[in-house]
Amino acid sequence: MILEVAILNVIPGQETAFESAFAQAQKIIAAQRGYISHEVRRCMENASRYVLLVNWETLEDHTDGFRQSEGYLEWKALLHHFYDPFPTVEHYESVPNLKT
């Protein structure tokens, strides 16, 4: 399993509209091949910063599958105009001997 971590800096004052748009967009990502789950958290120190955590079966399910899909175009139209700067996205894998 791969964890996608995206830091989402939303334009101040657009938080409510972003959350509403994300409520629609999450249906798109949840329908993708290899999608396992996702979670969005808002920063307590900066109310216009969020972190998106998405669990994928493989890295390619995100990078080649979702990002090359028709659904991604809809996702992009719904969400990308809220960000400044554009999100930093990284992928993480488990470290087997460091699990509990």
Side-chain angles (χ1 to χ4, degrees), residues 94-100:
S94 295
V95 180
N97 60 341
L98 298 181
K99 290 175 99 174
T100 58

PDB file of all heavy atoms in Angstrom, residues 94-100:
ATOM      1  N   SER A  94       5.422   1.830   3.570  1.00  0.00           N
ATOM      2  CA  SER A  94       5.682   1.344   4.921  1.00  0.00           C
ATOM      3  C   SER A  94       7.118   0.894   5.056  1.00  0.00           C
ATOM      4  O   SER A  94       7.739   0.424   4.104  1.00  0.00           O
ATOM      5  CB  SER A  94       4.767   0.158   5.254  1.00  0.00           C
ATOM      6  OG  SER A  94       3.436   0.571   5.286  1.00  0.00           O
ATOM      7  N   VAL A  95       7.624   1.046   6.251  1.00  0.00           N
ATOM      8  CA  VAL A  95       8.931   0.498   6.611  1.00  0.00           C
ATOM      9  C   VAL A  95       8.636  -0.703   7.489  1.00  0.00           C
ATOM     10  O   VAL A  95       8.232  -0.550   8.638  1.00  0.00           O
ATOM     11  CB  VAL A  95       9.791   1.550   7.353  1.00  0.00           C
ATOM     12  CG1 VAL A  95      11.148   0.971   7.718  1.00  0.00           C
ATOM     13  CG2 VAL A  95       9.921   2.820   6.531  1.00  0.00           C
ATOM     14  N   PRO A  96       8.770  -1.915   6.935  1.00  0.00           N
ATOM     15  CA  PRO A  96       8.278  -3.118   7.615  1.00  0.00           C
ATOM     16  C   PRO A  96       8.728  -3.306   9.060  1.00  0.00           C
ATOM     17  O   PRO A  96       7.923  -3.635   9.908  1.00  0.00           O
ATOM     18  CB  PRO A  96       8.802  -4.264   6.748  1.00  0.00           C
ATOM     19  CG  PRO A  96       8.979  -3.656   5.394  1.00  0.00           C
ATOM     20  CD  PRO A  96       9.372  -2.228   5.647  1.00  0.00           C
ATOM     21  N   ASN A  97       9.962  -3.075   9.366  1.00  0.00           N
ATOM     22  CA  ASN A  97      10.436  -3.319  10.738  1.00  0.00           C
ATOM     23  C   ASN A  97      10.125  -2.166  11.682  1.00  0.00           C
ATOM     24  O   ASN A  97      10.509  -2.204  12.849  1.00  0.00           O
ATOM     25  CB  ASN A  97      11.931  -3.630  10.753  1.00  0.00           C
ATOM     26  CG  ASN A  97      12.775  -2.503  10.183  1.00  0.00           C
ATOM     27  OD1 ASN A  97      12.262  -1.649   9.475  1.00  0.00           O
ATOM     28  ND2 ASN A  97      14.048  -2.508  10.489  1.00  0.00           N
ATOM     29  N   LEU A  98       9.394  -1.158  11.218  1.00  0.00           N
ATOM     30  CA  LEU A  98       9.006  -0.040  12.084  1.00  0.00           C
ATOM     31  C   LEU A  98       7.504   0.037  12.306  1.00  0.00           C
ATOM     32  O   LEU A  98       6.988   1.046  12.758  1.00  0.00           O
ATOM     33  CB  LEU A  98       9.512   1.280  11.476  1.00  0.00           C
ATOM     34  CG  LEU A  98      11.028   1.402  11.340  1.00  0.00           C
ATOM     35  CD1 LEU A  98      11.393   2.754  10.744  1.00  0.00           C
ATOM     36  CD2 LEU A  98      11.729   1.189  12.653  1.00  0.00           C
ATOM     37  N   LYS A  99       6.799  -1.036  11.973  1.00  0.00           N
ATOM     38  CA  LYS A  99       5.357  -1.088  12.189  1.00  0.00           C
ATOM     39  C   LYS A  99       5.054  -1.630  13.574  1.00  0.00           C
ATOM     40  O   LYS A  99       5.798  -2.433  14.112  1.00  0.00           O
ATOM     41  CB  LYS A  99       4.692  -1.995  11.145  1.00  0.00           C
ATOM     42  CG  LYS A  99       4.692  -1.415   9.761  1.00  0.00           C
ATOM     43  CD  LYS A  99       4.147  -2.402   8.776  1.00  0.00           C
ATOM     44  CE  LYS A  99       2.707  -2.104   8.482  1.00  0.00           C
ATOM     45  NZ  LYS A  99       2.166  -2.961   7.426  1.00  0.00           N
ATOM     46  N   THR A 100       3.918  -1.212  14.105  1.00  0.00           N
ATOM     47  CA  THR A 100       3.501  -1.743  15.402  1.00  0.00           C
ATOM     48  C   THR A 100       2.529  -2.883  15.205  1.00  0.00           C
ATOM     49  O   THR A 100       1.936  -3.047  14.184  1.00  0.00           O
ATOM     50  CB  THR A 100       2.820  -0.660  16.258  1.00  0.00           C
ATOM     51  OG1 THR A 100       1.692  -0.155  15.541  1.00  0.00           O
ATOM     52  CG2 THR A 100       3.790   0.431  16.584  1.00  0.00           C
TER      53      THR A 100
END
